[in-house]
Amino acid sequence: MTTSTLLMIRPAAFAFNPQTAVNNSFQKITEQLHVHEKALLEFDNFVSLLGVYGIKVTVIQDTLEPHTPDSVFPNNWISFHEDGTIVLYPMFANNRKLERNKSVVEKLSETFFIRSTIDLTEYEQKNAYLEGTGSMVLDRDNEIAYACLSPRTNASVLYDFCDSIGYSPVLFNAVDEMEKEIYHTNVMMCMAETYVVVCLDSIKDSLQKQMLADKFNETGKLVIEISLQQMNHFAGNMLQVENIAGNQFLIMSTQAYNSLTEEQITLLKSFNPIIHSSLNTIEQNGGGSARCMMAEVFLPLKNNNFN
């Protein structure tokens, strides 16, 4: 199941966030100047490119107050589901909790039908977190939530999410080259309709690795493996979407695309064309890439005549 509508938040004050850097090894401290301006250009070029391919993007402008340097990554605090449910998630960093914005939901409710809200944010009082489709990679067709445990991904919250929405949890452990827990599952795994891009080298437990392989096989997913080095270039942070004509595409950053081998690119293109855009400033300072910037909107339309 792929969406043809994306929510993206245009940042008002994008910057390196020290509150998230404590457990996001993908963030890099740089002496880069004009970070916000460069990130804004990357964002606008990315949105324009998606539009060229007929992919609908609802862009909402962030506000200067409250200060939310990571607002460009909305998929962490909210998810949208085909039965009209939205889910609000508990966030690790205090300044990321401020991203939960009622005006975003109100804007979407003008076009889409919102039936109910599942609010998991009370878990923040217990220091337990689940950062949306960053912490989880959802196989919506088979109602499975894949998640690697980390300070941002708590098992109890995951089980609550799955119980609430009718999904099955698949939990495992994944680490980077420095043996540090990978903060979000969506940097090491991308779930598409008929394939999965995954860094199996990040999973050290052989039983967990076999469990995942079996699950992918059961659900008919061709496994396309990426290396730890490719993962470090955000090659796992991809998203399959469709345009208004129903044609599927795989979206990633240019850095991710350039890290892939010719064989991997050929294989991926056999399923769907690839769209890539340069996101270097956002990746370096924010520690997230293309997939993190896109929240999939599966909500039903209020009006079938909507274009």
Side-chain angles (χ1 to χ4, degrees), residues 254-273:
T254 299
Q255 178 184 183
Y257 181 84
N258 289 338
S259 76
L260 298 175
T261 65
E262 289 185 13
E263 291 77 14
Q264 288 169 324
I265 291 172
T266 299
L267 182 54
L268 289 169
K269 285 184 175 179
S270 72
F271 291 101
N272 42 231

Side-chain angles (χ1 to χ4, degrees), residues 1-7 56 58 78-87 108 111-115 133 138-141 165 167 191-193 239-242 248 291 294-302:
M1 183 184 299
T2 51
T3 185
S4 61
T5 303
L6 302 170
L7 166 69
K56 290 186 292 188
T58 296
I78 192 167
S79 64
F80 308 96
H81 302 267
E82 56 272 18
D83 66 349
T85 299
I86 65 171
V87 185
L108 289 172
T111 304
F112 298 97
F113 176 68
I114 298 175
R115 179 181 63 84
T133 54
L138 301 181
D139 180 346
R140 293 178 185 255
D141 289 318
I165 209 160
Y167 275 44
M191 184 64 59
E193 197 169 76
L239 182 65
Q240 188 182 56
V241 304
E242 61 184 56
Q248 292 181 329
R291 195 276 170 267
M294 300 177 286
E296 304 154 277
V297 181
F298 284 96
L299 297 171
L301 287 167
K302 282 184 172 179

Side-chain angles (χ1 to χ4, degrees), residues 71 162 192 239 306:
S71 62
C162 289
L239 182 65
F306 175 76

Side-chain angles (χ1 to χ4, degrees), residues 99-246:
E99 292 174 30
R100 293 191 295 261
N101 191 333
K102 289 182 180 179
S103 65
V104 171
V105 177
E106 290 169 356
K107 178 65 176 176
L108 289 172
S109 69
E110 294 174 6
T111 304
F112 298 97
F113 176 68
I114 298 175
R115 179 181 63 84
S116 62
T117 301
I118 297 171
D119 190 343
L120 301 173
T121 60
E122 287 188 1
Y123 278 100
E124 289 171 352
Q125 299 172 20
K126 302 177 182 179
N127 295 321
Y129 311 104
L130 184 73
E131 296 190 334
T133 54
S135 286
M136 303 176 291
V137 170
L138 301 181
D139 180 346
R140 293 178 185 255
D141 289 318
N142 296 290
E143 298 182 332
I144 298 170
Y146 293 91
C148 60
L149 291 169
S150 78
R152 312 265 196 105
T153 305
N154 178 276
S156 295
V157 193
L158 176 71
Y159 294 143
D160 194 348
F161 166 83
C162 289
D163 288 343
S164 299
I165 209 160
Y167 275 44
S168 300
V170 175
L171 268 173
F172 57 97
N173 301 94
V175 296
D176 62 20
E177 290 171 316
M178 304 302 292
E179 301 293 320
K180 292 182 179 179
E181 290 176 312
I182 293 173
Y183 81 111
H184 276 167
T185 313
N186 76 356
V187 296
M188 56 79 64
M189 183 189 299
C190 161
M191 184 64 59
E193 197 169 76
T194 56
Y195 63 90
V196 56
V197 178
V198 61
C199 181
L200 291 177
D201 287 346
S202 67
I203 303 167
K204 303 305 179 185
D205 186 295
S206 59
L207 292 177
Q208 290 186 353
K209 192 178 295 189
Q210 187 60 50
M211 171 197 68
L212 279 179
D214 290 344
K215 187 63 69 174
F216 297 148
N217 184 58
E218 288 170 17
T219 53
K221 306 292 184 184
L222 175 71
V223 176
I224 301 174
E225 285 197 54
I226 56 172
S227 67
L228 285 165
Q229 185 177 16
Q230 288 174 321
M231 180 189 73
N232 290 339
H233 290 284
F234 294 102
N237 200 241
M238 308 168 172
L239 182 65
Q240 188 182 56
V241 304
E242 61 184 56
N243 65 5
I244 54 177

Side-chain angles (χ1 to χ4, degrees), residues 57-72:
V57 182
T58 296
V59 176
I60 297 179
Q61 175 65 50
D62 190 22
T63 55
L64 284 172
E65 294 296 333
H67 178 58
T68 51
D70 281 321
S71 62
V72 75

